[in-house]
């Protein structure tokens, strides 16, 4: 770990100015940043501590919209009564992320800015080839062990899966990322790897996430997050789905549906083909299972991750059908 300077920012403006310096990085909960610095993946020259910035940790739901401050802790948001009531998928995604200790330290902004968990990315000593870490150096995962890698949205340059849970729920319900003056729809905030996989988020030097907001809706109100993983805690998703459902007055016809996938794509993945196939249809298991298969349109496997192509539609179907059950 190389030497770096440390500075605690007193205001958002000061944090942004400091973050624009070459080699500067923001420090929030530190649960990802310090790990990456220790294993030599990131080498900050200046750490700008934003943990004590006032006013960035509030969570409010009013006028049909939730606003979640970037410095709100994951555990606090997961347990917020209004978030649980109006956006259960958001609360459930946060509860199933990481571990209790990490959730108590980690922030919403830091969660959206976390980097890939590709094992090759995190081991520069053993695997110097990684286009995400060193643009143009190649990809050690392609032809390597790919069990945790993506099947959707990949490129010849990178096949790393997006690791987070919260963003999957945010993508399903059209959240917006607030970057001070600028806002970006959360789907556009996460970039496909293409031939520039080192750029994972649409944030510019000197910008800072201040909040995320999302509109309340009947589908967000009746929503869930289903995460399938190798063990029940402290584990990233093999496949996950955030689903929201609005039924017509007959209680059987789907008026609105939202579906987003985690663990299988290079960014949080909105499954619009599934939504389009189900809107206006009756909620019955056969229809739901057939439509859920569309979530894998365009999927390409790399050997050991082939199981995800079968697993993900089952996760989607199970999540949708669980929402159709009487409360
Ligand atoms: C063992 C382990 C298991 C985990 N499992 C999961 C999981 O299952 N699901 C999941 O979703 N996550 C998981 N995580 C990731 C965890 O959620 C993140 O480490 C955490 O959310 C990061 O938040 P932080 O506040 O600690 O960020 P930091 O580590 O402080 O920062 C992370 C990055 O975000 C940048 N940053 C922080 N705040 C801002 C801001 N406001 N604006 C712009 N940039 C900012 C930093 O500069 C840094 O680059 C796991 C982590 C670990 C270590
Ligand atoms: S999959 Fe992406 S992150 Fe992993 S080694 Fe290849 S380029 Fe690097």
């Amino acid at each position: 770990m190389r030497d770096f300077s440390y500075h605690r920012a007193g205001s958002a403006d000061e944090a942004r100015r400091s973050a624009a310096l070459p080699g500067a990085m923001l420090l929030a909960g530190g649960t990802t940043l310090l790990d990456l610095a220790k294993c030599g993946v990131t080498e900050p020259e200046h750490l700008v501590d934003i943990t004590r910035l006032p006013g960035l940790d509030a969570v409010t739901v009013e006028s049909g919209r939730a606003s979640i401050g970037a410095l709100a802790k994951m555990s606090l948001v997961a347990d917020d009564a209004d978030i649980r009531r109006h956006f259960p998928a958001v609360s459930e995604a946060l509860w199933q992320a990481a571990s209790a200790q990490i959730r108590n330290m980690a922030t919403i902004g830091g969660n959206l800015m976390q980097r890939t968990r590709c094992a090759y990315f995190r081991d520069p000593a053993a695997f110097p080839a990684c286009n995400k870490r060193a643009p143009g150096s190649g990809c050690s995962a392609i032809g390597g062990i790919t069990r945790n890698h993506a099947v959707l949205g990949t490129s010849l340059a990178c096949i790393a899966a997006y690791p987070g849970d919260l963003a999957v729920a945010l993508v399903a319900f059209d959240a917006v990322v607030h970057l001070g003056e600028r806002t970006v729809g959360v789907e556009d905030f996460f970039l496909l790897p293409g031939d520039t996989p080192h750029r994972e988020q649409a944030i510019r030097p000197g910008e800072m996430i201040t909040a995320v907001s999302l509109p309340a809706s009947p589908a967000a109100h009746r929503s869930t997050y289903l995460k399938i993983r190798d063990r029940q805690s402290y584990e990233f998703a093999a496949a996950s789905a955030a689903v929201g459902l609005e039924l017509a007055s007959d209680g059987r016809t789907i008026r609105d549906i939202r579906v987003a996938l985690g663990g299988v794509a290079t960014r949080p993945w909105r499954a619009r083909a599934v939504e389009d196939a189900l809107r206006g249809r009756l909620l019955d298991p056969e229809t739901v299972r057939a439509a859920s298969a569309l979530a894998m349109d365009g999927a390409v496997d790399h050997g050991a991750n082939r199981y995800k192509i079968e697993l993900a539609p089952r996760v989607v179907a199970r999540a949708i059908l669980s929402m159709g059950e009487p409360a």
Side-chain angles (χ1 to χ4, degrees):
M1 199 160 160
R2 80 166 185 208
D3 290 349
F4 52 82
S5 72
Y6 169 86
H7 166 70
R8 180 173 287 157
S11 71
D13 279 349
E14 189 193 328
R16 276 191 280 267
R17 273 198 306 278
S18 305
L21 294 171
M25 294 191 81
L26 299 175
L27 174 71
T31 62
T32 283
L33 182 57
L34 299 181
D35 265 6
L36 291 176
K38 281 187 217 160
C39 63
V41 171
T42 52
E43 298 193 314
E45 283 176 45
H46 310 288
L47 272 194
V48 184
D49 184 338
I50 57 172
T51 46
R52 306 238 179 128
L53 291 183
L56 289 185
D57 59 354
V59 182
T60 56
V61 180
E62 51 190 28
S63 310
R65 200 166 186 89
S67 174
I68 303 173
L71 289 179
K73 302 288 189 196
M74 290 169 73
S75 53
L76 183 140
V77 182
D79 210 22
D80 183 272
D82 287 330
I83 296 293
R84 287 171 65 157
R85 191 149 73 96
H86 297 287
F87 305 93
V90 171
S91 167
E92 290 170 21
L94 283 165
W95 271 123
Q96 292 173 67
S99 64
Q101 291 87 342
I102 291 171
R103 293 193 296 269
N104 286 338
M105 280 295 290
T107 64
I108 296 301
N111 188 272
L112 297 186
M113 290 298 293
Q114 69 177 290
R115 306 213 60 194
T116 176
R117 306 303 291 198
C118 171
Y120 300 99
F121 170 84
R122 287 180 176 250
D123 193 351
F127 301 102
C130 170
N131 290 321
K132 225 181 235 316
R133 195 173 2 91
S137 61
C139 171
S140 298
I142 296 175
I145 299 170
T146 57
R147 186 172 186 276
N148 295 327
H149 287 76
V151 293
L152 289 166
T154 56
S155 74
L156 292 175
C158 180
I159 59 169
Y162 174 75
D165 295 296
L166 168 66
V168 180
L170 295 181
V171 160
F173 301 107
D174 301 317
V176 168
V177 181
H178 297 254
L179 300 159
E181 307 281 289
R182 197 164 74 93
T183 57
V184 183
V186 74
E187 218 175 338
D188 296 329
F189 184 72
F190 293 100
L191 305 175
L192 287 169
D195 54 10
T196 55
H198 56 289
R199 292 199 63 229
E200 290 177 282
Q201 295 96 352
I203 187 166
R204 300 172 187 152
E207 283 187 328
M208 180 175 76
I209 301 175
T210 49
V212 293
S213 67
L214 65 167
S217 64
H221 191 265
R222 187 180 190 138
S223 67
T224 193
Y225 184 74
L226 178 61
K227 178 175 180 180
I228 302 299
R229 46 190 160 166
D230 287 348
R231 57 179 182 211
Q232 270 313 95
S233 173
Y234 210 35
E235 184 60 290
F236 293 89
S240 68
V243 161
L245 197 61
E246 180 187 0
L247 295 176
S249 51
D250 64 2
R252 297 176 61 223
T253 307
I254 298 171
R255 179 177 285 158
D256 187 20
I257 180 159
R258 311 294 181 88
V259 181
L261 300 175
V264 293
T266 51
R267 67 177 184 188
W269 197 260
R270 181 83 176 259
R272 286 200 167 76
V274 180
E275 298 175 0
D276 292 344
L278 286 174
R279 216 170 276 118
R281 302 287 304 279
L282 284 182
L283 181 76
D284 71 71
E286 214 170 298
T287 310
V288 167
R289 283 194 198 105
S292 298
L294 300 174
M296 289 292 106
D297 273 359
V300 177
D301 75 87
H302 296 83
N305 60 355
R306 188 170 306 143
Y307 74 101
K308 294 192 179 200
I309 296 179
E310 211 172 300
L311 176 64
R314 292 177 189 217
V315 177
V316 169
R318 206 166 105 194
I320 296 173
L321 291 170
S322 76
M323 283 292 89
E325 287 163 5

